[in-house]
Amino acid sequence: MMRVRVLVASLAVGSVATYDMGPTYGKDYSGMDYNVTVWNSGPDRAANNYEESAMECEGYCLIDPKCCAWTYCPPNSGDVGANDERCCLKESVPPTEASTGHWTGLPPRATDPTHTTVTATCVAKSPPSPYPGLNFTHPRIHQSPDCLHKEGWHDMAGALTYKGSHHAFQGCPASGGWSHSTSEDLVHWTNQGRGVHEIQESYEGMSSLVTPCSGFVTVDDNGVPCAGFRQCGSSQGTTGLNPAAHTWDVPMELRCAQNENLTQWSDPIWMYPVYYYRALPYDPVRPWKDYDGKWYSSWSTDGCNSTTKKVPCAAGGQLELLTSPVLRGAGTNWVQLDAMFTTNMTKSGAATAPGAITREFVTSGYFGGIPGDPDGGTTRVVTQNNAGPTFWVGKQANGSEFIPFWDKIGAVGHYDYGSLTMARTLGSDPNQVAVNGRRVLIGWIGGGSPASQSLARDLTLSAEYELLQQFVPELQMLRIPGSFSTVAVPTPAKAEAAAVATKGSLQLEVFASFTWTGPNPTKPFGVTVLGGAANLTVDCTADVASAPKAQGGCQVGVMKSSGPLMPIGTKTVTVHAFVDHSIVETIFNNRTAMVTYAVLQDETATSVALFGLDGLDGTVVTGQLTTWQLKEANNFGPQP
């Protein structure tokens, strides 16, 4: 029998309308979604407008303390296409109830007992935060959900490729969870709400109702994806385990997926307790099963917990290391080992920077099995983001210390010299350490507000263990047929031809190459885009060549960001860039990368040209410029 309810409206002067608690067919509390799950109900559930599936959607809302309203859209509702069946959980009670072929309702927590007043927990939050600035400055290729336009940290909290789908989770503390986007092609992304979100946690005396900190997503021995992290804050620690626990002493935890879309997650599953002399997010790397069949877990600290217990910490950042026979469930036994990696030093090109890291590592990553590895996949990489977005290529055996290749230029450095930070990897197998396969880097760009998700980059290793980066080839699907443009400058006499190489576009792929012989050019050269708003520059002038990073080579840069041209001493440069309105992502020689933001003065200022090739300094630099205008990929209207 159908349990359909209708809105009880005021019938006389002075009467008060009550909220429709549902389940009601033909209505929709629209908007405010934090979790949208795509369903595929069979025809056996079609009775009464798929009432059985609607009740299941209601059930998910009832058990989720964050859920304040729900809507179930039956198959063929007709509003978003053929595969339009979905269950939508909402973080507050939307202000209006629309008429449509959906089911909807409210849980008891949403209103007072008379159903006339929304509770404080479920009062409508502020509306989605739009991308600031004029419309022509807004990205159309980079994924940029509305919650990333609010202040706060937007680390790539977790990333995973699972059954062919790519999942990116970015922190959205102002919205109470991790923003979840999915893609089948690494180009077009779909918002899935914030399934990993704040809930009240009270394990062993702890008390915490905050956004989960940056963490990981892995897959357990049974093939179930699990998100892991610790709470970003708490008013009380796990005193039930340790009476002396500080307020910040809360355990590492898992929440495991309850559907194939990774939009519904279990209650917390406690991994192991964590204690430290000061409050830290602990930013764990993705746990992995190594060659010995054991699971390993590592998390971020500084190197002074057993010495000075204060910062600045002379030892620098540190990765702790634990091992267990299984990730979770029966047989779990996490045992702490010696620290996996401790250092205070970074590098940029040939220059070392001892003492650069004086606190904990931040949003650390760890992966191996990298394409191109001279050692067949056993080489591994640590990334973190204190003192810049940095990486170390090196070796680590099962449960042992990680040893970087300090002596190899390009094996230790920065994975970005601009705005990209807090990145993680995904691609092919969920085990990104001990199983060979594709490694794709995605991260946070833009700072606190507005932020976006970076374009995807393939990572490989050179024969000299350099970490190489290339934009994923899938981005080529955005090229608009007939928009190809190319110009070459083979001699200085023809350099003027480059002045108006192409009219360009606000959405543009740029590829340029330059070569020279003899001494380095004595004036900067490169590509200018967006009508001169951004120059992609190669600078080999004397002052640059004498800098420690380059040691006789060149520097490359875009606006205020710069880094060494690698390999040092090369006389060949490739420049690959994607222009997405105000965002410019550039990679020089597949090694030196930077994300920058241009100040656009006019939506018609889109020209692209080569510069600095007039030969007046006596150096002959040949150049070629190729461009493609690009289609839009993401951000087609308001998003959660």
Side-chain angles (χ1 to χ4, degrees), residues 511-533:
F511 187 85
S513 60
F514 304 93
T515 61
W516 68 95
T517 59
N520 285 341
T522 59
K523 60 182 294 186
F525 62 91
V527 184
T528 182
V529 299
L530 295 170

Side-chain angles (χ1 to χ4, degrees), residues 371-501:
D373 180 7
D375 297 330
T378 60
T379 304
R380 297 180 175 182
V381 180
V382 170
T383 61
Q384 70 85 45
N385 301 273
N386 193 328
T390 51
F391 69 87
W392 295 261
V393 178
K395 293 290 186 180
Q396 186 238 359
N398 300 322
S400 66
E401 182 182 5
F402 173 81
I403 307 295
F405 294 146
W406 292 109
D407 59 330
K408 300 182 185 298
I409 295 177
V412 178
H414 292 242
Y415 65 81
D416 199 87
Y417 286 88
S419 174
L420 173 59
T421 187
M422 313 297 176
R424 295 286 175 71
T425 63
L426 48 72
S428 61
D429 196 273
N431 187 336
Q432 294 269 286
V433 176
V435 177
N436 290 6
R438 192 178 190 184
R439 302 293 178 261
V440 178
L441 186 85
I442 53 174
W444 164 21
I445 64 172
S449 177
S452 299
Q453 177 183 307
S454 70
L455 299 182
R457 303 176 186 175
D458 274 317
L459 301 180
T460 59
L461 290 179
S462 75
E464 302 300 322
Y465 301 94
E466 301 165 285
L467 185 65
L468 306 180
Q469 305 185 58
Q470 305 89 29
F471 293 113
V472 296
E474 288 90 337
L475 287 165
Q476 296 175 16
M477 72 176 67
L478 298 178
R479 295 174 179 173
I480 297 175
S483 70
F484 174 81
S485 175
T486 186
V487 62
V489 184
T491 66
K494 296 185 179 180
E496 292 183 2
V500 286

Side-chain angles (χ1 to χ4, degrees), residues 23 41 43 59 99 145 165 171 178 196 223 244 279 305 418 445 530 574 607 612 623 628:
S41 295
S99 296
S165 295
W178 292 358
V196 178
N305 193 48
I445 64 172
L530 295 170
T574 60
S607 63
W628 295 265

Side-chain angles (χ1 to χ4, degrees), residues 301-304 313-318 342-344 357-361:
T301 65
D302 63 48
C304 291
C313 173
Q318 183 165 288
T342 307
T343 190
N344 65 13
I357 301 173
T358 60
R359 300 179 65 91
E360 71 277 6
F361 285 160

Side-chain angles (χ1 to χ4, degrees), residues 98-118:
S99 296
T100 185
H102 298 166
W103 289 82
T104 201
L106 306 177
R109 72 178 69 87
T111 69
D112 68 350
T114 67
H115 308 315
T116 59
T117 304
V118 176

Side-chain angles (χ1 to χ4, degrees), residues 7-21:
L7 177 67
V8 181
S10 57
L11 300 177
V13 176
S15 63
V16 179
T18 60
Y19 282 90
D20 178 6
M21 303 302 290

